[in-house]
Amino acid sequence: MARVELRDIVKRFGRVIAVDHVSLEIGDGEFFTLLGPSGCGKTTTLRIIAGLEFPDEGDVLIDGRVVTNLHPRDRDVAMVFQNYALYPHMTVFENIAFPLEARRRELGLTKEGIRKQVVEVAKFLGIEELLDRYPSQLSGGQQQRVALARALVRKPKVWLLDEPLSNLDAKLRVLMRGELKKLQRALNITTIYVTHDQVEAMSMSDRVAVMNRGRVLQVDNPDNLYSRPQDVFVATFIGSPPMNMITCELVEEPSGLEYVVPPEYAGSILGEGRVKTSHVLDCQGVLRLPIAPLYAKQLISQGAKSIYLGIRPEHVEISKSIILEPFTTIKVKVDVVEALGSENIVNILIGGDLVKARTPGTVKLEPGEEVYLKINPKKTLIFNKQTGKLII
């Protein structure tokens, strides 16, 4: 096992900053994932840890030792590439044995010693019967296991995986997610995993670093990334469907809050009355939500008059019957229904914003149908529209 630390890493390719002042600490035996869209810098960061790229600024440390300028073979790390990079002219046995053969004298290994280590790791991964085959004779899942075996055979301190499941079909990806996590736990090896697939990241990782445009936006465990994203990008990248973002304005009501329904939305807000607050979130002139004085004061102090109201699809309630709760419910029209069997994803427009809601598959809705939509203020997050950062 090993600790890995990145200190203010910068990597440029010409005028493009691929990695922009990235600092991370990865603990012994941790399954740590770099997650983000294509081109965000996650693979470049992994290659810098491996020693396949050298940073323009900053340092890489493994177990407290600076390895920034060391050759990959001197870092005691092993990497599994996206395309597995198996040698087509070598058998499975020869592919797995290659890292040991390349350092045979350095490691003081005999031919028999190499054979024992190859057979041991092949048994562990369930590919012992494939040792005499060539890569072209293997399925995608079998090729992946050979690549994993080749990376593990010399028992590295750090295991680096660059989107190893991306070439597998959907069913096999689901199976291999569990297998990889079980393997990592059994070996208790420090693992750094790169993916653009948030399901992989959330289901396998102890912690996840979400990256975009070369920067790390948030490092957290999967639960916190989902429930308390610190940034609009994180909130809309994590989750399927992602968090809804509804454009709102903070409006002051000096006399206390009294709802005034715009003529074009007459009858859409259920209930009228006053509440004990002097501010309201006016969402696209359609939905007006009272906001507690403490939160209103916090928004004012940050100059965040224009905000995004974030809410997960499962916290948006839809009913064909009137929900008798004022201030949080509006009448809307269904735009699109995505039927997924056990559930539906219902698309609704609030002003100019698309809002998605989850409903049970047994609830049948049609495009154009009028329904009642309820927002639970206790389940919402507020983001600064200008900076994209979480406020409340």
Side-chain angles (χ1 to χ4, degrees):
M1 290 193 298
R3 291 181 300 105
V4 178
E5 185 179 355
L6 303 184
R7 292 181 180 173
D8 208 24
I9 294 292
V10 176
K11 180 63 180 179
R12 301 180 184 89
F13 295 102
R15 295 183 180 180
V16 177
I17 303 177
V19 181
D20 192 358
H21 297 279
V22 166
S23 294
L24 294 169
E25 292 186 13
I26 300 156
D28 283 347
E30 186 174 18
F31 196 118
F32 189 93
T33 295
L34 301 173
L35 171 68
S38 297
C40 73
K42 56 189 185 294
T43 292
T44 302
T45 301
L46 194 75
R47 288 173 64 85
I48 287 171
I49 297 170
L52 301 175
E53 301 282 355
F54 294 98
D56 297 309
E57 299 175 29
D59 282 311
V60 180
L61 290 82
I62 297 178
D63 268 348
R65 173 185 172 221
V66 177
V67 299
T68 311
N69 298 311
L70 290 184
H71 189 277
R73 65 183 294 160
D74 298 322
R75 299 189 182 206
D76 203 6
V77 302
M79 188 164 175
V80 178
F81 296 90
Q82 183 176 355
N83 62 0
Y84 311 140
L86 300 178
Y87 299 110
H89 62 287
M90 293 183 180
T91 64
V92 168
F93 180 95
E94 291 167 338
N95 266 282
I96 297 173
F98 184 79
L100 300 179
E101 291 284 1
R103 303 179 66 183
R104 181 177 168 187
R105 290 185 180 179
E106 181 183 341
L107 298 173
L109 291 171
T110 63
K111 283 285 186 182
E112 180 60 20
I114 291 174
R115 190 194 68 79
K116 285 183 178 179
Q117 287 187 225
V118 170
V119 171
E120 180 184 0
V121 74
K123 282 183 178 178
F124 185 72
L125 287 166
I127 55 173
E128 187 182 9
E129 73 282 1
L130 306 177
L131 291 176
D132 293 329
R133 296 189 191 179
Y134 287 89
S136 61
Q137 299 172 313
L138 306 178
S139 68
Q142 289 170 335
Q143 289 184 28
Q144 187 207 47
R145 288 174 185 269
V146 174
L148 295 175
R150 186 176 60 185
L152 293 172
V153 71
R154 61 184 182 85
K155 300 175 183 177
K157 285 185 177 180
V158 182
W159 198 21
L160 309 175
L161 299 100
D162 185 11
E163 305 213 40
L165 305 183
S166 61
N167 292 328
L168 304 180
D169 61 60
K171 184 177 180 180
L172 191 53
R173 277 203 305 272
V174 173
L175 174 65
M176 290 308 299
R177 283 205 305 262
E179 290 294 316
L180 267 179
K181 183 59 181 174
K182 185 166 67 174
L183 178 61
Q184 190 268 341
R185 283 180 176 170
L187 296 171
N188 199 25
I189 186 173
T190 304
T191 301
I192 305 174
Y193 189 96
V194 160
T195 184
H196 65 273
D197 187 328
Q198 51 136 330
V199 176
E200 285 181 22
M202 300 290 277
S203 62
M204 297 167 65
S205 311
D206 297 314
R207 286 190 304 149
V208 178
V210 181
M211 296 185 67
N212 190 38
R213 296 181 179 179
R215 288 185 172 270
V216 172
L217 302 181
Q218 185 174 349
V219 180
D220 219 324
N221 64 57
D223 287 343
N224 287 341
L225 281 177
Y226 189 81
S227 60
R228 292 291 297 176
Q230 299 298 303
D231 182 275
V232 168
F233 178 85
V234 177
T236 54
F237 192 77
I238 300 291
S240 182
M243 181 175 282
N244 296 303
M245 290 289 162
I246 306 173
T247 305
C248 300
E249 299 287 328
L250 183 66
V251 178
E252 187 174 2
E253 304 283 349
S255 60
L257 175 63
E258 182 172 1
Y259 279 17
V260 179
V261 182
E264 62 268 33
Y265 297 110
S268 68
I269 298 179
L270 303 181
E272 295 182 359
R274 296 177 182 275
V275 294
K276 295 179 180 179
T277 179
S278 59
H279 288 82
V280 61
L281 290 178
D282 187 350
C283 304
Q284 296 277 14
V286 181
L287 176 66
R288 307 189 88 204
L289 299 175
I291 183 167
L294 178 63
Y295 291 160
K297 184 177 179 181
Q298 192 171 342
L299 290 175
I300 293 168
S301 69
Q302 295 194 29
K305 184 179 179 181
S306 183
I307 62 98
Y308 288 122
L309 188 73
I311 185 164
R312 292 287 178 193
E314 58 268 29
H315 297 142
V316 178
E317 183 181 343
I318 288 182
S319 174
K320 292 187 178 184
S321 305
I322 294 177
I323 306 170
L324 293 177
E325 289 190 31
F327 317 129
T328 60
T329 303
I330 58 173
K331 183 187 287 185
V332 294
K333 284 187 177 181
V334 175
D335 186 35
V336 175
V337 178
E338 303 171 42
L340 303 177
S342 62
E343 66 176 7
N344 299 321
I345 305 299
V346 183
N347 296 351
I348 289 165
L349 292 176
I350 294 184
D353 293 324
L354 175 65
V355 174
K356 291 179 177 281
R358 292 184 188 274
T359 65
T362 53
V363 176
K364 303 303 179 183
L365 298 171
E366 297 295 332
E369 184 176 353
E370 288 191 337
V371 294
Y372 296 93
L373 180 148
K374 178 176 180 290
I375 299 287
N376 185 346
K378 293 181 180 179
K379 297 293 186 179
T380 60
L381 299 175
I382 295 177
F383 297 86
N384 188 313
K385 188 175 180 180
Q386 184 175 359
T387 65
K389 299 301 180 184
L390 178 68
I391 301 173
I392 301 170

